[in-house]
Amino acid sequence: MRTPTPMIVGIVLGPCGLVLNLTSTLAPSWRDVTGFLDMSIDLIQHQGIWDICNERMSTHTNECNVKDTLGYFNQLPVQVARGLMPSSLAVTVVGLIVTSLGVRCWQEMPHHLLAGLGGLVLFVSGLLSLIAVSWYNYELYDLPSPPSTTMRVAYCLVLGYLGSCLEIIGGISLTFSFGQCCKELRLKESTRISKYSKNSSQQSLSNVGAISAPISSTAVPRQSRNPMPRSYSNSLDVLEGERTWSRSRSESKLPCDTDV
């Protein structure tokens, strides 16, 4: 049997979303800050949820593990992103495992129920990462930063949005397997009902045969005890005297009363 298209879409988009969210979680570039007054003009500070790095555009050198002096990591959007992004990655892995068990990889027929459950798990993982990325993006310009600096969205937020959307789309596609699962359940139920009705009809016919069998067995002896009457045959000719009388009358020459 050919693998259904919703399963193919889900099993392809799920790992893609996992890779994008993993990159978004680990890379320190959720927000870029430029225009520091007391630093070089070509300095760009990349702020992530785990680390802060300074990059000089003229020399293309990076300096990570920059000390947080403004309390950036203590902000609620950053703390929420630290909790939701790893959780989303773990849930995505679980969803992909369940989906792999449901999709026909080494089996003759796919397991639609497992594929649908895997789609639900992927959908939840996409929502978790989307909440983290959206909240951070909403509070992007309110997070603490040095004065007179310019802030802009970094590439990790874009990757987070893409990964979340891919996981959500893949999860929704896999949940279409529940429809096929319901069809299989209805087919099994109808088959079971038809088998039950067939067995009940056969049982009723056997009961009727068992009841009619004693009736036929008792009718045969009754018929033997009361045989049909046979026709009676007499060996004597009862019309012989009448024929003799008519013959003698015809031979007699005496007139009869009717002749007179």
Side-chain angles (χ1 to χ4, degrees), residues 98-162:
V98 176
T99 303
S100 300
L101 295 176
V103 176
R104 182 178 64 91
C105 295
W106 58 88
Q107 302 176 3
E108 183 65 23
M109 296 291 292
H111 199 296
H112 297 282
L113 181 59
L114 284 179
L117 292 176
L120 287 179
V121 176
L122 286 179
F123 180 79
V124 172
S125 66
L127 285 181
L128 292 177
S129 59
L130 184 62
I131 290 172
V133 173
S134 300
W135 194 349
Y136 186 95
N137 188 25
Y138 181 76
E139 300 287 342
L140 178 71
Y141 297 99
D142 295 332
L143 297 176
S145 61
S148 302
T149 54
T150 303
M151 293 165 288
R152 62 185 180 185
V153 175
Y155 70 91
C156 283
L157 282 181
V158 179
L159 295 181
Y161 275 117
L162 289 177

Side-chain angles (χ1 to χ4, degrees), residues 17 24 26 59 61 128 149:
S24 175
L26 298 179
T59 59
T61 57
L128 292 177
T149 54

Side-chain angles (χ1 to χ4, degrees), residues 72-245:
Y72 166 79
F73 291 121
N74 296 327
Q75 300 300 312
L76 184 59
V78 179
Q79 295 292 327
V80 170
R82 280 184 168 186
L84 290 182
M85 293 304 291
S87 301
S88 174
L89 295 176
V91 174
T92 303
V93 172
V94 174
L96 290 177
I97 293 174
V98 176
T99 303
S100 300
L101 295 176
V103 176
R104 182 178 64 91
C105 295
W106 58 88
Q107 302 176 3
E108 183 65 23
M109 296 291 292
H111 199 296
H112 297 282
L113 181 59
L114 284 179
L117 292 176
L120 287 179
V121 176
L122 286 179
F123 180 79
V124 172
S125 66
L127 285 181
L128 292 177
S129 59
L130 184 62
I131 290 172
V133 173
S134 300
W135 194 349
Y136 186 95
N137 188 25
Y138 181 76
E139 300 287 342
L140 178 71
Y141 297 99
D142 295 332
L143 297 176
S145 61
S148 302
T149 54
T150 303
M151 293 165 288
R152 62 185 180 185
V153 175
Y155 70 91
C156 283
L157 282 181
V158 179
L159 295 181
Y161 275 117
L162 289 177
S164 302
C165 293
L166 290 180
E167 290 181 357
I168 291 174
I169 295 173
I172 293 175
S173 178
L174 285 170
T175 53
F176 290 153
S177 301
F178 283 127
Q180 186 65 29
C181 181
C182 294
K183 290 181 181 179
E184 291 181 355
L185 291 178
R186 286 196 295 266
L187 181 60
K188 290 180 180 179
E189 185 68 18
S190 61
T191 304
R192 187 183 65 84
I193 293 174
S194 62
K195 287 183 179 179
Y196 176 76
S197 60
K198 183 178 180 180
N199 293 333
S200 61
S201 62
Q202 290 179 354
Q203 185 177 2
S204 61
L205 289 176
S206 62
N207 292 334
V208 171
I211 294 173
S212 60
I215 297 176
S216 60
S217 62
T218 55
V220 172
R222 182 178 298 176
Q223 185 177 2
S224 61
R225 289 195 299 268
N226 298 323
M228 293 295 294
R230 297 180 179 178
S231 59
Y232 177 76
S233 61
N234 192 358
S235 59
L236 299 177
D237 191 0
V238 295
L239 300 177
E240 183 179 0
E242 186 176 352
R243 286 197 296 270
T244 305
W245 179 79

